């Protein structure tokens, strides 16, 4: 079995199931901070899916997208926590 | 041989991310979910990126993959700390099996600064709480 087939049939389905589970927490999460970390996990899983797919198709140009997504995930978590704290301080 | 190493690394990485996703569903409390998510997902992503760095022979791709991994390793704990601190201020409930809350009364309500945790500060905080209750 070649590496490309192995990634297509075993690694990518595992990552897809993980993203479904993270979506469940994104819908269910009773507080807003649960949804914030579910979003962070989703974007990190997105980076992993892009990486696995890039190995499978042997094209390296997808990694630019992965880099930008990692930056966006970090900035969005910091922005959420800053504005939630400001809202709590003003109330 | 390289293919086998990359297959092993990707499998361990994908299983780590699956454990993070199962943990974010099954854990009973926000703080436990935060802990499982950040550690396991960073590990899984780092291993997958390392596998990609081995796979491609060009220097530019290897540098890019290692840079993303390094960035994730640096920023994931910082983001987790900030969201955990904010959740404590908002008043996110701890799990009912928690024995005691170590941070109670240590944060100043106005400017959100932390008192240092030696014995004198703890006694002052306990005294303030007793005065408030009376």
């Amino acid at each position: 079995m070649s590496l490309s087939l192995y990634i297509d049939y075993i690694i990518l389905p595992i990552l897809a199931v993980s993203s479904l589970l993270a979506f469940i927490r994104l819908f269910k999460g009773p507080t807003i901070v649960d949804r914030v970390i579910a979003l962070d996990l989703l974007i990190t899983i997105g980076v992993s899916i892009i990486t696995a797919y890039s190995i499978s198709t042997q094209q390296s140009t997808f990694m630019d997208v992965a880099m930008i997504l990692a930056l966006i995930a970090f900035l969005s978590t910091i922005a959420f926590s800053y504005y939630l704290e400001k809202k709590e301080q003003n109330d | 041989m390289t293919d086998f190493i990359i297959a092993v690394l990707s499998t361990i990485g994908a299983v780590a991310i699956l454990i993070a996703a199962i943990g974010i569903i099954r854990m009973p409390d926000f703080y436990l979910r935060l802990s499982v998510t950040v550690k396991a997902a960073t590990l899984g992503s780092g291993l997958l990126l390392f596998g990609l760095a081995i796979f491609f022979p060009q220097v530019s791709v290897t540098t890019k993959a290692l840079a993303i991994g390094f960035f994730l390793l640096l920023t994931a704990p910082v983001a987790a700390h900030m969201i955990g601190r904010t959740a404590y201020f908002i008043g996110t409930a701890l799990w009912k099996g928690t024995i005691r809350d170590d941070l109670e009364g240590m944060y100043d309500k106005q400017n959100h600064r932390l008192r240092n945790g030696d014995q004198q500060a703890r006694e002052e905080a306990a005294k303030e709480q007793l005065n408030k209750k009376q």
Side-chain angles (χ1 to χ4, degrees):
Chain A
M1 172 183 280
S2 73
L3 181 65
S4 176
L5 276 179
Y6 179 73
I7 290 183
D8 275 343
Y9 280 116
I10 298 184
I11 305 285
L12 282 176
I14 293 180
L15 291 173
V17 166
S18 307
S19 73
L20 272 177
L21 295 176
F23 262 115
I24 291 179
R25 178 51 70 194
L26 188 72
F27 285 139
K28 245 177 64 172
T31 60
I32 185 172
V33 282
D34 282 320
R35 296 190 171 103
V36 171
I37 57 164
L39 186 69
D40 190 36
L41 179 65
L42 265 179
I43 299 182
T44 306
I45 292 178
V47 169
S48 307
I49 290 179
I50 291 177
T51 305
Y53 188 71
S54 170
I55 298 179
S56 172
T57 61
Q58 295 169 357
Q59 298 202 0
S60 67
T61 53
F62 295 117
M63 294 316 291
D64 301 331
V65 182
M67 194 186 296
I68 306 273
L69 272 181
L71 285 165
I72 296 284
F74 168 63
L75 284 179
S76 78
T77 306
I78 297 286
F80 262 117
S81 73
Y82 179 72
Y83 282 115
L84 284 174
E85 187 173 343
K86 283 295 173 192
K87 174 176 173 287
E88 173 68 19
Q89 236 173 358
N90 283 338
D91 276 345
Chain B
M1 190 59 201
T2 311
D3 281 354
F4 181 68
I5 294 178
I6 294 174
V8 165
L9 279 176
S10 328
T11 311
I12 301 178
V15 166
I17 290 183
L18 184 68
I19 288 178
I22 293 178
I24 203 176
I25 286 198
R26 290 274 300 167
M27 284 290 173
D29 180 20
F30 164 72
Y31 303 99
L32 293 165
R33 285 172 203 152
L34 179 68
S35 159
V36 175
T37 301
V38 168
K39 290 174 202 159
T42 307
L43 173 74
S45 286
L47 282 175
L48 270 167
L49 286 164
F50 189 62
L52 185 128
I54 296 179
F55 183 67
F56 285 101
Q58 296 106 355
V59 175
S60 62
V61 179
T62 306
T63 309
K64 214 179 286 185
L66 289 179
I68 299 176
F70 189 61
F71 177 78
L72 275 178
L73 197 67
L74 275 183
T75 61
V78 173
H81 174 72
M82 282 208 69
I83 195 72
R85 184 173 175 266
T86 298
Y88 190 73
F89 284 139
I90 287 184
T92 310
L94 271 72
W95 182 42
K96 60 185 185 303
T98 308
I99 296 181
R100 82 178 173 173
D101 183 9
D102 273 332
L103 275 182
E104 182 149 13
M106 302 297 288
Y107 269 108
D108 193 356
K109 287 261 187 283
Q110 289 305 110
N111 52 4
H112 284 180
R113 272 194 317 179
L114 187 64
R115 272 184 283 215
N116 56 353
D118 55 359
Q119 192 58 29
Q120 189 178 8
R122 276 185 207 277
E123 284 168 356
E124 280 176 17
K127 248 184 268 179
E128 274 181 22
Q129 272 191 331
L130 277 177
N131 289 341
K132 245 186 275 176
K133 277 184 197 159
Q134 277 172 358

PDB file of all heavy atoms in Angstrom, chain B residues 30-42:
ATOM      1  N   PHE B  30     -15.492  23.222  31.618  1.00  0.00           N
ATOM      2  CA  PHE B  30     -14.778  23.998  30.612  1.00  0.00           C
ATOM      3  C   PHE B  30     -13.272  23.905  30.777  1.00  0.00           C
ATOM      4  O   PHE B  30     -12.528  23.778  29.797  1.00  0.00           O
ATOM      5  CB  PHE B  30     -15.199  25.461  30.684  1.00  0.00           C
ATOM      6  CG  PHE B  30     -14.239  26.357  29.962  1.00  0.00           C
ATOM      7  CD1 PHE B  30     -14.187  26.369  28.592  1.00  0.00           C
ATOM      8  CD2 PHE B  30     -13.361  27.152  30.660  1.00  0.00           C
ATOM      9  CE1 PHE B  30     -13.297  27.166  27.925  1.00  0.00           C
ATOM     10  CE2 PHE B  30     -12.464  27.968  29.996  1.00  0.00           C
ATOM     11  CZ  PHE B  30     -12.435  27.967  28.626  1.00  0.00           C
ATOM     12  N   TYR B  31     -12.795  23.972  32.016  1.00  0.00           N
ATOM     13  CA  TYR B  31     -11.345  24.028  32.234  1.00  0.00           C
ATOM     14  C   TYR B  31     -10.689  22.710  31.863  1.00  0.00           C
ATOM     15  O   TYR B  31      -9.575  22.664  31.326  1.00  0.00           O
ATOM     16  CB  TYR B  31     -11.068  24.390  33.691  1.00  0.00           C
ATOM     17  CG  TYR B  31     -11.703  25.680  34.084  1.00  0.00           C
ATOM     18  CD1 TYR B  31     -12.907  25.708  34.768  1.00  0.00           C
ATOM     19  CD2 TYR B  31     -11.120  26.898  33.752  1.00  0.00           C
ATOM     20  CE1 TYR B  31     -13.498  26.896  35.108  1.00  0.00           C
ATOM     21  CE2 TYR B  31     -11.706  28.082  34.095  1.00  0.00           C
ATOM     22  CZ  TYR B  31     -12.889  28.084  34.771  1.00  0.00           C
ATOM     23  OH  TYR B  31     -13.476  29.259  35.103  1.00  0.00           O
ATOM     24  N   LEU B  32     -11.378  21.589  32.106  1.00  0.00           N
ATOM     25  CA  LEU B  32     -10.841  20.288  31.694  1.00  0.00           C
ATOM     26  C   LEU B  32     -10.815  20.178  30.174  1.00  0.00           C
ATOM     27  O   LEU B  32      -9.864  19.638  29.598  1.00  0.00           O
ATOM     28  CB  LEU B  32     -11.701  19.177  32.294  1.00  0.00           C
ATOM     29  CG  LEU B  32     -11.628  19.071  33.806  1.00  0.00           C
ATOM     30  CD1 LEU B  32     -12.747  18.213  34.332  1.00  0.00           C
ATOM     31  CD2 LEU B  32     -10.309  18.488  34.207  1.00  0.00           C
ATOM     32  N   ARG B  33     -11.873  20.691  29.527  1.00  0.00           N
ATOM     33  CA  ARG B  33     -11.892  20.640  28.064  1.00  0.00           C
ATOM     34  C   ARG B  33     -10.754  21.458  27.483  1.00  0.00           C
ATOM     35  O   ARG B  33     -10.120  21.048  26.501  1.00  0.00           O
ATOM     36  CB  ARG B  33     -13.211  21.202  27.536  1.00  0.00           C
ATOM     37  CG  ARG B  33     -14.352  20.294  27.698  1.00  0.00           C
ATOM     38  CD  ARG B  33     -15.623  21.010  27.326  1.00  0.00           C
ATOM     39  NE  ARG B  33     -16.742  20.351  27.965  1.00  0.00           N
ATOM     40  CZ  ARG B  33     -17.865  20.966  28.296  1.00  0.00           C
ATOM     41  NH1 ARG B  33     -18.007  22.238  28.046  1.00  0.00           N
ATOM     42  NH2 ARG B  33     -18.826  20.295  28.859  1.00  0.00           N
ATOM     43  N   LEU B  34     -10.503  22.629  28.067  1.00  0.00           N
ATOM     44  CA  LEU B  34      -9.417  23.479  27.573  1.00  0.00           C
ATOM     45  C   LEU B  34      -8.091  22.754  27.666  1.00  0.00           C
ATOM     46  O   LEU B  34      -7.290  22.760  26.724  1.00  0.00           O
ATOM     47  CB  LEU B  34      -9.388  24.758  28.402  1.00  0.00           C
ATOM     48  CG  LEU B  34      -8.325  25.758  28.061  1.00  0.00           C
ATOM     49  CD1 LEU B  34      -8.587  26.343  26.723  1.00  0.00           C
ATOM     50  CD2 LEU B  34      -8.296  26.838  29.110  1.00  0.00           C
ATOM     51  N   SER B  35      -7.853  22.092  28.802  1.00  0.00           N
ATOM     52  CA  SER B  35      -6.577  21.420  29.002  1.00  0.00           C
ATOM     53  C   SER B  35      -6.365  20.307  27.972  1.00  0.00           C
ATOM     54  O   SER B  35      -5.315  20.224  27.325  1.00  0.00           O
ATOM     55  CB  SER B  35      -6.550  20.857  30.420  1.00  0.00           C
ATOM     56  OG  SER B  35      -5.625  19.837  30.508  1.00  0.00           O
ATOM     57  N   VAL B  36      -7.398  19.461  27.782  1.00  0.00           N
ATOM     58  CA  VAL B  36      -7.233  18.346  26.854  1.00  0.00           C
ATOM     59  C   VAL B  36      -7.033  18.850  25.432  1.00  0.00           C
ATOM     60  O   VAL B  36      -6.159  18.386  24.700  1.00  0.00           O
ATOM     61  CB  VAL B  36      -8.472  17.420  26.914  1.00  0.00           C
ATOM     62  CG1 VAL B  36      -8.376  16.349  25.879  1.00  0.00           C
ATOM     63  CG2 VAL B  36      -8.564  16.798  28.265  1.00  0.00           C
ATOM     64  N   THR B  37      -7.833  19.837  25.058  1.00  0.00           N
ATOM     65  CA  THR B  37      -7.794  20.304  23.671  1.00  0.00           C
ATOM     66  C   THR B  37      -6.437  20.856  23.305  1.00  0.00           C
ATOM     67  O   THR B  37      -5.832  20.470  22.303  1.00  0.00           O
ATOM     68  CB  THR B  37      -8.843  21.398  23.485  1.00  0.00           C
ATOM     69  OG1 THR B  37     -10.093  20.867  23.790  1.00  0.00           O
ATOM     70  CG2 THR B  37      -8.819  21.914  22.092  1.00  0.00           C
ATOM     71  N   VAL B  38      -5.932  21.778  24.116  1.00  0.00           N
ATOM     72  CA  VAL B  38      -4.724  22.482  23.717  1.00  0.00           C
ATOM     73  C   VAL B  38      -3.542  21.540  23.644  1.00  0.00           C
ATOM     74  O   VAL B  38      -2.785  21.517  22.676  1.00  0.00           O
ATOM     75  CB  VAL B  38      -4.480  23.644  24.693  1.00  0.00           C
ATOM     76  CG1 VAL B  38      -3.109  24.196  24.503  1.00  0.00           C
ATOM     77  CG2 VAL B  38      -5.495  24.707  24.472  1.00  0.00           C
ATOM     78  N   LYS B  39      -3.399  20.678  24.654  1.00  0.00           N
ATOM     79  CA  LYS B  39      -2.206  19.827  24.646  1.00  0.00           C
ATOM     80  C   LYS B  39      -2.245  18.817  23.519  1.00  0.00           C
ATOM     81  O   LYS B  39      -1.291  18.666  22.756  1.00  0.00           O
ATOM     82  CB  LYS B  39      -2.118  19.099  25.989  1.00  0.00           C
ATOM     83  CG  LYS B  39      -1.776  19.983  27.120  1.00  0.00           C
ATOM     84  CD  LYS B  39      -1.854  19.213  28.412  1.00  0.00           C
ATOM     85  CE  LYS B  39      -2.034  20.188  29.536  1.00  0.00           C
ATOM     86  NZ  LYS B  39      -2.588  19.582  30.709  1.00  0.00           N
ATOM     87  N   ALA B  40      -3.366  18.076  23.403  1.00  0.00           N
ATOM     88  CA  ALA B  40      -3.377  16.970  22.448  1.00  0.00           C
ATOM     89  C   ALA B  40      -3.389  17.481  21.015  1.00  0.00           C
ATOM     90  O   ALA B  40      -2.730  16.908  20.139  1.00  0.00           O
ATOM     91  CB  ALA B  40      -4.594  16.089  22.707  1.00  0.00           C
ATOM     92  N   ALA B  41      -4.115  18.578  20.748  1.00  0.00           N
ATOM     93  CA  ALA B  41      -4.194  19.057  19.375  1.00  0.00           C
ATOM     94  C   ALA B  41      -2.861  19.645  18.919  1.00  0.00           C
ATOM     95  O   ALA B  41      -2.464  19.471  17.769  1.00  0.00           O
ATOM     96  CB  ALA B  41      -5.303  20.101  19.244  1.00  0.00           C
ATOM     97  N   THR B  42      -2.165  20.324  19.830  1.00  0.00           N
ATOM     98  CA  THR B  42      -0.852  20.858  19.442  1.00  0.00           C
ATOM     99  C   THR B  42       0.126  19.735  19.145  1.00  0.00           C
ATOM    100  O   THR B  42       0.910  19.798  18.184  1.00  0.00           O
ATOM    101  CB  THR B  42      -0.319  21.761  20.559  1.00  0.00           C
ATOM    102  OG1 THR B  42      -1.303  22.730  20.865  1.00  0.00           O
ATOM    103  CG2 THR B  42       0.950  22.449  20.147  1.00  0.00           C
TER     104      THR B  42
END
